[in-house]
Amino acid sequence: ELSSYLRDACRAKFVDLSCLGRFSEVSLAVASALRLGLRATRSLTLDGNDLAGSPKAWEAWCAAIEEHPGLQRLSLRGCGLTDSAAQRLARALVGHLALFSVDLSSNRIGDDGMEALAGAITENRVLLELTVEDTDASPATCNTLEAVLDRNRGRFGGQGGCAKMLKGLRRARAEALTSLAHGAVRTPAVGDPRGRRGDHALAFDATAEHISTAVDVGEGRLVWLPLAPNPQQVLDAEARDAADVADAIFFDAGSGGIAQELAMRCEAGWRYTAAETERLNELQAHAADLRRQRQLARERTEEGYTRIEGMQRGFRERASPVEAQIYELKEELAAEIEGTKCVLQARIRANLALKAAEDELEVALHEKRLKAETLQKAEHGLKLRHREVAEETQNVKAELQLAEEAVQRLDDDNERCRRLLHAARFETETERFVPHRVLAALAATSAAASATAAAECGASVCAAVA
């Protein structure tokens, strides 16, 4: 209901939505209301609301601020803004042609966010006041930002210059806050303030200096918002402001303003000459013509605002089905994105598993190469050892063959000596030195005789047994 009121019915120039409870639930809707309505709003205060808690909501707010054609002052004190949020706001401020004052105090904005804001102010020559008190930015960065703002302020010369303009803006802000405070005091907090007749009469009284009303935001909770004053009050206020500025030039004009002073001097014709009186009458007629022209221009402007409002309402009616379809497509896209995200996560896990398997395979191949190199080294060592052993075996065989030849020569020599000693009938107490050949023959004869005797004995035993 709050967003509907702000989008369709609110005509207030000063809108204060500070410190709303559960603001995150209606943040997107209120941002859409600012984007599609609130064309009469010149000052917007959102202090104490968590605007940057949701990136989607903050993107919607920045888009609404960027597209609002007449917003002149914006207060975002204590809204939880960070460097990334400040960078997005800086992009929104680059092309804004009406925003004079922005308050970003008590936010977590560091040097990166301030540098982005300074770059935006460099391109936007309209922004004159940017308050960054109680932030995380360094003094050097704040001084750089202030230097860029001073360059913008220097473009407005003349008597009073930019200082008078900012003073006027602050005075308008103070009057708006006072108006809200008076409206809240005059309309007490009850269960349903709109149900009291006195509140209705006060809220819609065209003669009241400060006008406010209650808007239901759900769950029995109400928010006070100012209503737009009637056109005559606006004209009177602007006439008073113009009179204050003009009277600062003519010190003898009194407290009634230039128009009243001019009328009094025209009535006192005896004090002036005929030419002066005629000139005063011409000035008075010219002033009346200017007031009529201004009133006509204002009526035409109001008529234009009315037509624009009707066109906007018609556009919203035509755009509502498209917006609904866009929301449905966004939901479908979100579902597709979620499905794609799941598939990508599964693919990432598979890629990670494949990478781990490839790493394990690489480790196994490395170990296999190391083992193959170790085996090759061992095989080469064994071959060298085999070659050495073969060479040693060859040498041993050669030595053995030489030894066998020596033994054979020794045996031949011994046999020759035995034959000589046997031929000489040389004997000792233990040996007769019979040649080995003879000994072998005798051994063979003895073995044959023993075999024959054994055979005969066996035959006789068999015969006896038989």
Side-chain angles (χ1 to χ4, degrees):
E1 185 174 348
L2 173 62
S3 60
S4 300
Y5 168 75
L6 293 175
R7 185 181 65 244
D8 299 328
C10 183
R11 299 294 179 269
K13 289 189 177 182
F14 302 94
V15 176
D16 190 347
L17 302 177
S18 302
C19 302
L20 295 181
R22 300 171 63 181
F23 184 76
S24 58
E25 298 179 2
V26 297
S27 180
L28 279 174
V30 176
S32 178
L34 176 63
R35 186 175 183 179
L36 300 177
L38 288 177
R39 287 298 179 259
T41 301
R42 297 297 177 262
S43 176
L44 177 62
T45 303
L46 299 170
D47 298 345
N49 298 316
D50 187 11
L51 297 181
S54 172
K56 184 178 180 181
W58 180 240
E59 179 66 26
W61 275 108
C62 290
I65 293 169
E66 186 176 5
E67 296 180 10
H68 197 285
L71 190 63
Q72 297 177 358
R73 180 187 174 275
L74 177 65
S75 181
L76 302 175
R77 297 175 63 91
C79 293
L81 304 184
T82 58
D83 286 339
S84 59
Q87 291 169 359
R88 177 60 186 91
L89 179 62
R91 294 195 298 271
L93 295 178
V94 169
H96 208 291
L97 300 179
L99 196 59
F100 287 93
S101 175
V102 178
D103 192 348
L104 300 178
S105 302
S106 303
N107 286 293
R108 301 188 304 273
I109 302 176
D111 291 341
D112 295 338
M114 291 301 173
E115 291 176 359
L117 291 171
I121 299 173
T122 302
E123 299 182 16
N124 184 357
R125 301 298 183 89
V126 180
L127 192 60
L128 304 177
E129 184 180 29
L130 181 60
T131 307
V132 291
E133 298 176 356
D134 297 331
T135 58
D136 297 339
S138 62
T141 307
C142 293
N143 293 335
T144 303
L145 186 65
E146 188 65 24
V148 178
L149 289 172
D150 288 339
R151 187 204 62 188
N152 283 1
R153 297 181 187 124
R155 297 176 59 246
F156 296 90
Q159 185 175 2
C162 182
K164 181 180 292 186
M165 181 183 298
L166 293 178
K167 183 179 180 181
L169 290 174
R170 294 191 186 97
R171 183 180 63 182
R173 178 176 59 189
E175 290 178 356
L177 295 177
T178 305
S179 174
L180 290 177
H182 288 179
V185 169
R186 291 206 311 271
T187 317
V190 295
D192 188 3
R194 297 172 299 164
R196 299 177 58 187
R197 182 176 302 175
D199 295 334
H200 275 290
L202 182 61
F204 295 97
D205 183 8
T207 63
E209 183 177 0
H210 302 290
I211 305 174
S212 62
T213 187
V215 178
D216 189 0
V217 295
E219 299 182 0
R221 301 177 66 255
L222 299 172
V223 175
W224 290 99
L225 293 175
L227 292 177
N230 58 17
Q232 187 60 39
Q233 288 177 334
V234 176
L235 291 174
D236 294 342
E238 291 180 355
R240 287 196 299 271
D241 292 341
D244 293 339
V245 177
D247 289 347
I249 301 174
F250 300 97
F251 297 97
D252 60 341
S255 60
I258 292 296
Q260 183 178 357
E261 179 66 18
L262 185 59
M264 292 174 60
R265 293 189 180 186
C266 289
E267 292 176 359
W270 58 271
R271 297 176 55 185
Y272 307 100
T273 63
E276 292 175 346
T277 303
E278 184 178 359
R279 181 59 177 167
L280 288 175
N281 291 329
E282 290 177 358
L283 290 175
Q284 188 177 14
H286 184 63
D289 292 338
L290 289 177
R291 285 195 296 272
R292 285 193 297 272
Q293 292 176 6
R294 183 177 181 182
Q295 180 65 26
L296 180 60
R298 182 168 295 278
E299 291 176 356
R300 291 177 179 176
T301 302
E302 292 296 333
E303 183 181 357
Y305 282 156
T306 304
R307 289 199 300 269
I308 292 174
E309 181 182 356
M311 294 173 63
Q312 288 180 345
R313 187 176 291 108
F315 174 76
R316 284 196 297 271
E317 292 176 356
R318 294 192 301 271
S320 295
V322 179
E323 290 181 354
Q325 186 178 3
I326 290 174
Y327 289 148
E328 293 178 358
L329 292 176
K330 285 184 177 179
E331 292 177 357
E332 294 178 359
L333 180 60
E336 292 292 335
I337 291 174
E338 190 66 25
T340 306
K341 188 186 297 183
C342 295
V343 173
L344 290 177
Q345 290 177 353
R347 183 175 180 180
I348 290 172
R349 288 194 294 268
N351 290 335
L352 291 176
L354 178 61
K355 181 64 176 177
E358 290 178 352
D359 294 339
E360 293 178 358
L361 179 61
E362 185 67 23
V363 172
L365 292 176
H366 182 65
E367 292 179 354
K368 183 178 180 181
R369 286 194 296 270
L370 291 178
K371 291 181 179 179
E373 292 176 357
T374 304
L375 180 62
Q376 186 177 3
K377 289 180 180 178
E379 183 179 0
H380 183 66
L382 290 176
K383 286 182 179 180
L384 291 178
R385 183 59 182 167
H386 176 71
R387 187 178 301 173
E388 293 175 356
V389 170
E391 292 177 355
E392 292 177 358
T393 303
Q394 189 69 24
N395 294 332
V396 170
K397 285 182 179 181
E399 293 176 358
L400 181 60
Q401 184 177 0
L402 293 176
E404 289 177 352
E405 291 177 355
V407 169
Q408 185 64 33
R409 286 195 300 272
L410 183 60
D411 289 342
D412 294 342
D413 188 52
N414 287 338
E415 186 66 22
R416 185 177 59 79
C417 291
R418 279 178 176 276
R419 284 196 301 269
L420 291 175
L421 291 175
H422 183 70
R425 300 287 192 270
F426 180 80
E427 296 180 357
T428 63
E429 294 179 357
T430 58
E431 188 175 0
R432 294 178 58 189
F433 296 104
V434 179
H436 288 288
R437 186 176 59 233
V438 177
L439 289 176
L442 290 176
T445 303
S446 176
S450 297
T452 302
E456 290 177 354
C457 181
S460 62
V461 171
C462 291
V465 172

